Amino acid sequence: MGLFQKYLVNKNIFKNREVLRHSYRPNILPHRQPEINTIASILAASLKGETPSNILIYGKTGTGKTACVRYVADELEKASQETVIPCHVIHLNCEVIDTQYRVLAQIAKNLEDHDERPSDGTRSNIPFTGWPTDQVYMELKNLLESVGGVMVIVLDEIDKLVKKSGDETLYNLTRINSDLKDSKVSIIGISNDLRFTDFLDPRVLSSLSEEELVFPPYNAPQLCDILQKRGEDAFMEGVIDPPVIPLCAALAAQEHGDARRALDLLRVSGELAEREDESRVAEKHVKMAQEKIETDSMIECVSTLPTQSKVVLYSMLLLEHIGKKIFTSGEVLQVYREVAGTLDVDVLTNRRITDLVSELSMLGVINTRVVSKGRYGRTKEMWFDMMTNRIWEVLSKDQRLSRDTLIQLDTNRLKALVR
DNA sequence: ACTCCACCGGAATACTTGGCGT
DNA sequence: ACGCCAAGTATTCCGGTGGAGT
């Protein structure tokens, strides 16, 4: 039996695991029909050759924004094939395509693919870089005119674009219609951040948000439906214990109503059951999955921390190691100075340490609480609430924090220090 | 060359309650 | 018994700096 054979044997759990991934695009979107209808009714104008209103869509992660827009977009392109008006939709993720140049170039590139003119080999491919933005802009206009029809530009995670390169791009795009004769441009902006309009020029904002749409988070029963539907495609029949899906839904609903989170939970539960060679996914797997996802993200978070934060965290681990369950900022500071000195890294001041500590607290690695001790001043108490040995492991992966160098720190000395 | 941002620290100000004075 | 004070840090405000990006 080959090395991988045994991993292929267990076919009892998943039918198609891909269905549970973020990248999967479902055909049915439960509980989003009103939103889909709204978007469709706005975009329908393009089938008559009119310019659809620009739309701004808000909603937290995992509320189905992107999925709905993509769905409507596909339908629109399909419908336009039966009319004389060509409608094209281009979907840009602004987290990746985050400068004006890249946005324009990407749109142009996409247009060239739609350009049905007989290619004479002189098509001007816009290079990835090098042209002045004006020229790309002109070229884009020419392309739009030659393709004609209606172009719907979806800017996903538009807040990222505005944050990184300002609203100039949006200003140009919203104005482009006035320079066009045979074609129309409509923009759909998708944002996770409800306050991102603060950074926008009022003119851009009013033009961009001719229509606004908010995607509310899913509640537990809705998540249940979603998981149910996907589960049918993803899992073999009958392998899921009845309470599993409601539990996943409930846990995710507690979080933020994030469907992505719920699907992760279900997928990881299935994977854990598979790994344990069990024939059914049970409640205990969901609980394990919940824990796994949590620690995984914690590990990811800790391992990407800047060095100084790691040193601070390390100091706290040392304090915990010598038997202190709860430590004060003063103690952490003293131990930190000791550790940082030993490690030959810059020793930051109190001021900075308090910042790092509150950052750690924000990330959920530690808990903190400010307490006033009357005559004895005011301090911040902090403590861990998860298995600290995982944090030890992660930290010791950092070369500078390998245990060998730190074992030199005499625990007795530390104990004396915090007294 | 210039701008922006992350990082840093100094100084001022805020906060809270046990202890002390009355 | 009551109320103000002081300790000791949290927190805020602000200005400087070096590096990355353009």
Side-chain angles (χ1 to χ4, degrees):
Chain A
M1 195 193 263
L3 175 59
F4 292 101
Q5 281 302 313
K6 67 177 172 187
Y7 299 106
L8 295 174
V9 173
N10 191 340
K11 285 276 186 187
N12 299 325
I13 300 284
F14 285 108
K15 197 196 303 179
N16 180 5
R17 191 189 315 238
E18 291 307 309
V19 175
L20 297 178
R21 296 207 174 275
H22 302 317
S23 50
Y24 181 79
R25 278 205 259 159
N27 291 321
I28 29 174
L29 296 155
H31 303 290
R32 283 297 180 242
Q33 206 54 48
E35 283 81 4
I36 289 176
N37 289 339
T38 307
I39 299 173
S41 70
I42 296 167
L43 290 187
S46 57
L47 292 174
K48 290 183 279 179
E50 297 162 11
T51 312
S53 298
N54 295 331
I55 313 175
L56 203 48
I57 296 176
Y58 301 100
K60 295 187 180 164
T61 53
T63 49
K65 302 181 296 294
T66 305
C68 284
V69 170
R70 279 191 188 274
Y71 174 76
V72 177
D74 285 352
E75 292 294 313
L76 178 70
E77 287 190 324
K78 247 188 262 171
S80 81
Q81 283 169 10
E82 293 167 18
T83 71
V84 287
I85 319 271
C87 293
H88 297 296
V89 183
I90 175 170
H91 200 107
L92 299 179
N93 186 337
C94 299
E95 186 163 20
V96 190
I97 302 168
D98 56 358
T99 64
Q100 172 161 214
Y101 191 93
R102 286 192 205 141
V103 169
L104 294 179
Q106 197 67 35
I107 297 170
K109 186 163 170 282
N110 188 277
L111 272 169
E112 282 173 356
D113 297 340
H114 288 304
D115 193 347
E116 282 150 13
R117 287 179 304 174
S119 174
D120 53 3
T122 59
R123 287 206 315 188
S124 55
N125 287 307
I126 295 182
F128 287 113
T129 180
W131 283 15
T133 309
D134 289 354
Q135 196 174 340
V136 182
Y137 192 65
M138 289 302 295
E139 186 64 27
L140 179 58
K141 276 192 285 199
N142 292 338
L143 273 165
L144 281 166
E145 290 287 49
S146 71
V147 173
V150 178
M151 187 80 193
V152 179
I153 301 169
V154 181
L155 297 171
D156 209 337
E157 314 210 28
I158 195 171
D159 44 332
K160 298 272 167 48
L161 176 67
V162 174
K163 251 170 135 181
K164 282 185 192 163
S165 56
D167 54 8
E168 204 188 329
T169 314
L170 298 178
Y171 182 71
N172 288 336
L173 282 178
T174 52
R175 271 167 30 106
I176 202 167
N177 269 328
S178 54
D179 293 338
L180 294 172
K181 212 167 73 230
D182 299 326
S183 54
K184 327 265 186 209
V185 167
S186 169
I187 300 172
I188 300 180
I190 302 180
S191 166
N192 295 317
D193 185 354
L194 284 88
R195 292 169 299 110
F196 103 100
T197 51
D198 298 351
F199 309 108
L200 245 43
D201 187 306
R203 285 170 303 174
V204 176
L205 179 59
S206 68
S207 154
L208 193 62
S209 58
E210 289 167 340
E211 299 277 353
E212 286 192 33
L213 200 56
V214 177
F215 278 56
Y218 296 108
N219 60 31
Q222 292 173 335
L223 284 171
C224 249
D225 284 346
I226 294 169
L227 292 179
Q228 198 75 49
K229 288 252 164 40
R230 297 268 197 122
E232 284 167 17
D233 295 335
F235 291 98
M236 305 297 285
E237 203 159 327
V239 297
I240 300 182
D241 278 353
V244 165
I245 285 186
L247 182 58
C248 287
L251 289 172
Q254 273 175 30
E255 205 85 354
H256 296 112
D258 183 345
R260 225 174 285 178
R261 171 90 182 185
L263 291 165
D264 276 343
L265 216 46
L266 189 57
R267 176 175 52 83
V268 175
S269 302
E271 283 169 358
L272 288 172
E274 188 176 54
R275 202 170 303 169
E276 290 194 346
D277 226 7
E278 299 209 18
S279 56
R280 299 174 63 79
V281 184
E283 265 183 88
K284 64 169 181 177
H285 295 122
V286 179
K287 292 189 178 127
M288 286 164 60
Q290 164 94 334
E291 219 165 275
K292 178 171 159 52
I293 289 174
E294 212 165 276
T295 59
D296 281 0
S297 67
M298 219 277 299
I299 285 169
E300 167 68 17
C301 162
V302 169
S303 61
T304 56
L305 242 33
T307 309
Q308 287 291 355
S309 295
K310 285 185 183 171
V311 177
V312 173
L313 195 53
Y314 196 94
S315 311
M316 294 192 262
L317 282 170
L318 281 177
L319 278 165
E320 221 246 358
H321 181 64
I322 62 174
K324 277 199 174 300
K325 291 281 167 260
I326 297 177
F327 17 93
T328 65
S329 44
E331 291 164 345
V332 171
L333 189 63
Q334 290 202 319
V335 176
Y336 163 80
R337 285 208 250 265
E338 197 74 17
V339 173
T342 313
L343 287 177
D344 198 28
V345 296
D346 291 346
V347 180
L348 301 181
T349 59
N350 184 3
R351 171 67 186 74
R352 205 76 248 300
I353 300 307
T354 55
D355 274 358
L356 296 179
V357 166
S358 44
E359 194 182 323
L360 286 173
S361 154
M362 209 114 78
L363 291 168
V365 183
I366 58 170
N367 297 301
T368 62
R369 178 174 56 130
V370 286
V371 287
S372 238
K373 295 183 173 172
R375 196 71 192 75
Y376 302 104
R378 185 178 180 224
T379 187
K380 187 180 267 181
E381 288 182 342
M382 41 208 127
W383 67 96
F384 294 99
D385 66 353
M386 335 207 345
M387 48 303 128
T388 47
N389 44 350
R390 299 304 296 272
I391 306 181
W392 275 103
E393 280 173 36
V394 179
L395 281 187
S396 40
K397 288 208 179 83
D398 194 307
Q399 291 183 349
R400 281 166 293 200
L401 289 173
S402 74
R403 286 190 191 225
D404 311 341
T405 53
L406 282 154
I407 208 75
Q408 300 164 8
L409 286 169
D410 184 358
T411 50
N412 287 327
R413 179 125 162 275
L414 289 179
K415 281 181 190 167
L417 209 58
V418 298
R419 204 139 289 155

